């Protein structure tokens, strides 16, 4: 960690959380969870995993940890925070797909998020494959770079979007991006999509299909037939990333409990659970997905469904999903965290806090800070330790 990085880290720790890129450095405890997570990524085990912890006990932190590991291990990652009040409802796969596109990142993407950087990345691979004898997939996908028609992808929309992107036109890019981020807002604008992404681009390729076929075949629709194309486009994304040499896509869903607490309609809730089981099954999406929930999540789901008369529901499905159950960090772990903060503070302001503050003093500060209620404990400790060091530095100057 250099001086500038250390200062950025301390700035962020003043608010109680480490910044992106340094999550692993500021992770303590959780050895078995970390080992299992790493193993899943190393072995590329597809399917779903529930991360259970109480409020403030490190769910978001562990997801951020997973993000960092996955990027380093060559996965693309998308972190989605569910929000029924916003436009991310888990029963609506078109909204989930849009949110995944909004938050997706590729390794070495310099922290840039969004489908734009992924499409650029893919088009670069396609360009590169022209001179590469091993580029059979890309050759088939683009039909020898004619881009007229091919059925390599499951989702015709994904083909249309990628082909339009490959033209390099910035207005077209804006349209493609807007469409993929919110496909539902184009339900009544199919002809606009046709005109912008196909009709007006006929000088670049000769798609043999007449305009009406695009509507007949539902090429622009992500919501019909059980959101079939939201799933197939996600599957294609996974496949394209794998063909590009990455290990695939890792999806991280934070606040998954939103499904239970904020989705009111029981049919919507059932659909949201069904989607979770689909992710678990791995057929609709053969990548990895993690979900942050509280320990009572499964019981809450059962109570909710039985309360609404869903007696014949197969509750075993919830129990089948593998789970991590995490307890809050204990005082020793927080002391270790405090030590790392102290070291970083020293680098950031070029001083030696350990000469001024004895480790017993630091431990005392931690123990006092850790006596607040459990859900604020870790955050409060981080903030308190940084404050104590700031004060000490000021005094010693
Ligand atoms: N293993 C860990 N090592 C170091 N710090 C951690 C660890 N886990 C959590 N923290 C810190 O604890 C605080 C709370 O963690 P986090 O926000 O992840 O909890 P949460 O379970 O997502 O909470 P909420 O229920 O409010 O969403 C944060 O300041 C985070 O940086
Ligand atoms: Mg959280």
């Amino acid at each position: 960690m250099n001086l500038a990085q250390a200062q950025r880290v301390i700035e962020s720790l003043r608010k109680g959380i480490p910044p992106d890129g340094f999550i692993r450095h500021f992770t303590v405890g959780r050895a078995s969870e970390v080992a299992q997570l790493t193993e899943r990524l190393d072995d590329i085990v597809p399917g779903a995993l529930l991360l259970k912890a109480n409020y403030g006990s490190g769910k978001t932190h562990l997801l951020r940890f997973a993000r960092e590991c996955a990027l380093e291990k060559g996965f693309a990652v998308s972190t989605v925070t569910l929000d029924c009040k916003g436009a991310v409802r888990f029963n609506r796969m078109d909204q989930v797909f849009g949110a995944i596109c909004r938050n997706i990142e590729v390794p070495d993407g310099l922290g840039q998020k969004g489908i734009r950087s992924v499409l650029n990345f893919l088009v670069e691979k396609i360009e590169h494959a022209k001179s590469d004898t091993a580029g059979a997939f890309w050759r088939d996908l683009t039909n020898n770079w004619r881009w007229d028609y091919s059925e390599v992808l499951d989702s015709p929309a994904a083909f249309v979007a990628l082909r339009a992107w490959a033209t390099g036109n910035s207005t077209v890019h804006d349209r493609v991006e807007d469409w993929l981020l919110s496909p539902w807002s184009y339900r009544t604008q199919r002809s606009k999509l046709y005109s912008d992404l196909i009709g007006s681009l006929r000088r670049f390729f000769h798609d043999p299909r007449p305009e009406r076929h695009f509507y007949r075949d539902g090429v622009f629709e992500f919501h019909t037939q059980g959101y079939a194309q939201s799933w197939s486009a996600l599957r294609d994304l996974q496949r394209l990333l794998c063909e590009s040499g990455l290990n695939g896509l890792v999806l991280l869903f934070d606040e998954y409990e939103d499904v239970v607490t904020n989705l009111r309609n029981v049919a919507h809730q059932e659909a949201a659970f069904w989607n979770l089981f689909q992710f678990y099954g791995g057929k609709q999406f053969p990548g990895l997905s993690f979900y942050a929930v509280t320990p009572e999540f499964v019981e809450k789901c059962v109570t909710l469904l039985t309360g609404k008369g869903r007696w014949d529901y197969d509750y075993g499905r919830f129990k089948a999903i593998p789970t991590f159950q995490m307890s809050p960090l204990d005082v020793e772990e927080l002391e270790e965290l405090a030590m790392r903060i102290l070291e970083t503070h020293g680098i950031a302001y070029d001083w030696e806090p350990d000469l001024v503050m004895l480790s017993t003093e630091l431990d005392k500060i931690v123990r006092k800070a850790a006596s607040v209620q459990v859900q604020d404990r870790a955050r409060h400790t981080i903030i308190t330790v940084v404050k104590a060091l700031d004060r000490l530095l000021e005094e010693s100057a």
Side-chain angles (χ1 to χ4, degrees):
M1 208 187 294
N2 61 33
L3 184 128
Q5 284 171 328
Q7 286 183 355
R8 182 168 79 87
V9 169
I10 295 292
E11 280 301 319
S12 178
L13 292 176
R14 279 200 184 98
K15 291 177 226 128
I17 43 168
D20 278 343
F22 291 91
I23 297 296
R24 280 171 299 168
H25 186 80
F26 289 98
T27 296
V28 293
R30 309 280 184 246
S32 79
E33 288 85 359
V34 164
Q36 286 183 61
L37 259 183
T38 321
E39 204 178 292
R40 275 187 164 251
L41 294 172
D42 283 337
D43 300 347
I44 317 183
V45 185
L49 179 74
L50 295 180
L51 307 175
K52 288 185 183 173
N54 258 312
Y55 301 103
S57 294
K59 299 180 291 295
T60 305
H61 186 94
L62 200 64
L63 288 181
R64 294 178 73 208
F65 181 96
R67 167 189 169 271
E68 247 175 60
C69 278
L71 285 172
E72 196 189 75
K73 290 181 189 294
F75 289 87
V77 179
S78 186
T79 310
V80 172
T81 303
L82 295 189
D83 181 2
C84 292
K85 294 180 193 109
V88 202
R89 280 167 251 167
F90 209 73
N91 57 314
R92 288 275 308 269
M93 272 311 292
D94 54 347
Q95 294 187 349
V96 174
F97 176 75
I100 290 169
C101 288
R102 185 176 299 279
N103 296 302
I104 193 167
E105 332 169 53
V106 286
D108 306 320
L110 306 171
Q112 287 233 17
K113 280 187 189 167
I115 195 68
R116 187 173 274 274
S117 53
V118 173
L119 288 165
N120 285 335
F121 171 81
L122 293 174
V123 166
E124 219 171 272
K125 294 281 167 194
I126 293 170
E127 281 304 309
H128 195 75
K130 279 185 186 168
S131 54
D132 187 350
T133 45
F137 170 82
W138 305 106
R139 185 173 308 261
D140 291 347
L141 170 71
T142 60
N143 194 18
N144 276 310
W145 292 277
R146 282 197 292 275
W147 280 115
D148 48 354
Y149 183 74
S150 89
E151 291 184 347
V152 170
L153 297 182
D154 278 356
S155 149
F159 179 74
V160 164
L162 188 57
R163 173 174 69 183
W165 199 271
T167 64
N169 178 304
S170 67
T171 321
V172 172
H173 285 183
D174 291 346
R175 175 67 64 218
V176 169
E177 183 183 40
D178 194 51
W179 177 35
L180 298 180
L181 296 189
S182 46
W184 59 91
S185 62
Y186 281 89
R187 279 191 195 182
T188 54
Q189 301 188 69
R190 298 180 310 176
S191 57
K192 186 186 229 144
L193 286 176
Y194 174 79
S195 150
D196 287 0
L197 306 185
I198 298 139
S200 69
L201 300 178
R202 293 226 179 243
R203 68 182 181 283
F204 293 103
F205 47 77
H206 299 282
D207 196 308
R209 293 168 286 181
E211 182 173 351
R212 64 177 190 286
H213 280 203
F214 287 86
Y215 309 137
R216 184 198 65 190
D217 299 344
V219 170
F220 304 117
E221 277 155 27
F222 281 80
H223 64 289
T224 46
Q225 295 178 326
Y227 299 99
Q229 194 160 218
S230 300
W231 283 108
S232 60
L234 196 55
R235 215 154 42 235
D236 284 339
L237 194 54
Q238 159 81 2
R239 174 138 183 238
L240 289 163
L241 292 164
C242 288
E243 293 287 350
S244 304
L246 298 187
N247 284 324
L249 177 58
V250 175
L251 300 176
L252 305 172
F253 292 104
D254 205 355
E255 307 286 347
Y256 187 73
E257 216 131 323
D258 188 66
V259 167
V260 184
T261 37
N262 292 327
L263 256 188
R264 285 294 153 81
N265 181 319
V266 68
H268 294 171
Q269 284 167 327
E270 279 183 312
F273 296 144
W274 184 248
N275 288 338
L276 172 65
F277 304 143
Q278 299 278 296
F279 275 110
Y280 167 63
K283 212 165 175 185
Q284 287 277 32
F285 171 68
L288 290 77
S289 55
F290 301 153
Y291 306 78
V293 294
T294 63
E296 304 79 37
F297 172 68
V298 172
E299 282 69 44
K300 275 188 197 164
C301 296
V302 175
T303 313
L304 182 137
L305 290 169
T306 49
K308 292 185 180 173
R310 299 296 201 266
W311 297 103
D312 51 358
Y313 202 84
D314 179 7
Y315 294 106
R317 286 180 182 276
F318 283 112
K319 306 234 160 80
I321 302 175
T323 304
F324 282 173
Q325 173 114 11
M326 305 186 292
S327 44
L329 294 175
D330 62 28
V331 172
E332 270 110 74
E333 287 161 342
L334 291 172
E335 284 171 0
E336 192 186 327
L337 184 60
M339 264 322 280
R340 293 191 204 171
I341 299 174
L342 179 134
E343 281 160 18
T344 309
H345 204 280
I347 301 173
Y349 302 106
D350 193 22
W351 69 309
E352 292 182 61
D354 49 327
L355 297 183
V356 189
M357 187 193 278
L358 299 175
S359 75
T360 49
E361 248 174 279
L362 185 64
D363 291 352
K364 213 166 102 195
I365 294 173
V366 172
R367 273 197 300 276
K368 180 149 177 266
S371 64
V372 301
Q373 51 178 332
V374 128
Q375 61 260 46
D376 302 325
R377 196 194 268 167
R379 219 183 146 124
H380 180 67
T381 306
I382 296 172
I383 295 172
T384 309
V385 168
V386 178
K387 250 190 210 150
L389 290 163
D390 285 343
R391 199 175 321 116
L392 212 59
L393 173 64
E394 220 175 280
E395 283 165 12
S396 68

